Amino acid sequence: MTLLRLLMLIACLATALPAHAHDGIVVVVVRHAEKDDDDKIDPSLAGSGEVRAQALAETLAGARLDLAIATQYRRTRQTAEPAASAAGIPVTLRPVDAANAATHAGDLARELRALPPGSTALVVGHSNTVPGIVEALSGKPAAPMPETEYDRYTVVLLDADGAARVITSRY
């Protein structure tokens, strides 16, 4: 519920500011939820991961989600699906692999920055991609993410003038 409160606070602040101040883009970046050990290469979510994915969807229910992006792996798609389904949108796949690993975060950041003003996007990545995506979006360093961390979310507020604000918390 912390993320919902945060997004509601952002919405309230935006309406209290001059009209041009809230014409930006909101991007919520999370790591996939807890994974199962059913497949070494492409595991699905564990039961606790399914619960976390549903909690993410409930948390984002108050936000107008326009886009949900995940990698090609089941665990990221399954994390994004409940929120995307609740918003009535598909999960858009942005594969990451050895061929595009060096440019993935920057390419994704450019795509997200090109969204229409007022858009809200969810991006589900991996422990080794989430910090790079946050940094590419915001221009600010992001803390590394340990393999055991599943509860961090980062909200990147992209202002109309190109400035970025970053809020990181846990859910």
Side-chain angles (χ1 to χ4, degrees):
M1 287 310 246
T2 304
L3 181 57
L4 177 58
R5 287 187 188 126
L6 177 63
L7 290 173
M8 289 173 63
L9 174 63
I10 292 165
C12 290
L13 289 174
T15 58
L17 297 173
H20 61 80
H22 63 87
D23 290 339
I25 298 162
V26 177
V27 182
V28 180
V29 186
V30 300
R31 180 188 180 196
H32 62 79
E34 291 87 343
K35 58 188 174 183
D36 204 344
D37 59 3
D38 59 346
D39 185 326
K40 289 185 190 266
I41 296 171
D42 190 15
S44 57
L45 291 182
S48 58
E50 291 173 1
V51 170
R52 185 177 303 281
Q54 189 58 47
L56 178 62
E58 291 168 10
T59 299
L60 293 175
R64 192 189 86 249
L65 194 60
D66 301 298
L67 179 66
I69 296 176
T71 66
Q72 72 274 26
Y73 296 102
R74 283 191 296 176
R75 58 195 178 272
T76 59
R77 288 192 322 267
Q78 291 172 337
T79 301
E81 282 170 351
S85 178
I89 60 173
V91 175
T92 302
L93 299 184
R94 293 292 179 266
V96 62
D97 55 32
N100 72 349
T103 62
H104 177 74
D107 294 342
L108 187 55
R110 275 188 293 284
E111 178 181 341
L112 291 164
R113 284 185 168 276
L115 290 172
S119 296
T120 301
L122 168 65
V123 176
V124 182
H126 303 270
S127 61
N128 63 340
T129 65
V130 164
I133 293 166
V134 170
E135 188 167 340
L137 276 168
S138 68
K140 299 171 185 169
M145 183 171 269
E147 178 63 26
T148 56
E149 184 178 18
Y150 296 98
D151 62 347
R152 180 194 321 177
Y153 67 86
T154 303
V155 178
V156 181
L157 304 166
L158 301 170
D159 293 336
D161 66 1
R165 291 172 279 159
V166 178
I167 303 162
T168 302
S169 193
R170 307 240 175 241
Y171 75 105

